[in-house]
Amino acid sequence: MRVSLTTLLASLVLTACDGGGDPVQQALRETAAVNQSATVRETAAVYDPASTDQAWVNRMVARHREAIAAADVVLAQSRDPEIRRMAEAVKDARTHEIAEMQAWKPSATPGQ
């Protein structure tokens, strides 16, 4: 496990060194690097049926943060009103969904 984690971190560092290019891709790479550490921590939880719900919430929050990061880049750079409207809608919806998921608490009875 130590070797594979080291390899994973090395590949993330090399990916993070990729300079220039598309700003949306750069924002996604930066957000993915932050989210990757959370994914590594939750990997063990995926194999525990009692933690499946929480693992799903964690993954969805990470994905929503990536969408928000991409929307922020578009809002900072795009002048197209329709694209800006869509980016605002994505940002608003994902922000609301993140808050909803973070407020979630496991039900007392499994399966409900």
Side-chain angles (χ1 to χ4, degrees):
M1 181 67 177
R2 188 97 153 130
V3 173
S4 63
L5 180 57
T6 303
T7 304
L8 174 64
L9 291 175
S11 66
L12 286 174
V13 168
L14 291 175
T15 301
C17 292
D18 182 23
D22 183 1
V24 172
Q25 290 299 320
Q26 183 63 33
L28 290 174
R29 279 192 298 272
E30 291 168 2
T31 305
V34 170
N35 291 335
Q36 182 61 34
S37 64
T39 302
V40 169
R41 284 191 305 268
E42 77 181 33
T43 300
V46 173
Y47 299 106
D48 178 7
S51 326
T52 300
D53 293 338
Q54 186 62 54
W56 178 82
V57 167
N58 294 345
R59 285 191 306 273
M60 290 307 296
V61 167
R63 301 310 181 269
H64 283 19
R65 286 183 179 145
E66 290 174 2
I68 290 169
D72 283 340
V73 170
V74 168
L75 290 170
Q77 297 182 3
S78 178
R79 300 295 165 238
D80 185 300
E82 183 65 11
I83 293 294
R84 293 181 61 79
R85 182 196 63 75
M86 287 186 281
E88 280 290 349
V90 165
K91 186 173 178 176
D92 291 346
R94 297 306 168 262
T95 300
H96 173 76
E97 290 167 357
I98 287 172
E100 185 177 7
M101 285 185 261
Q102 288 176 329
W104 169 81
K105 301 290 183 233
S107 61
T109 306
Q112 291 185 349

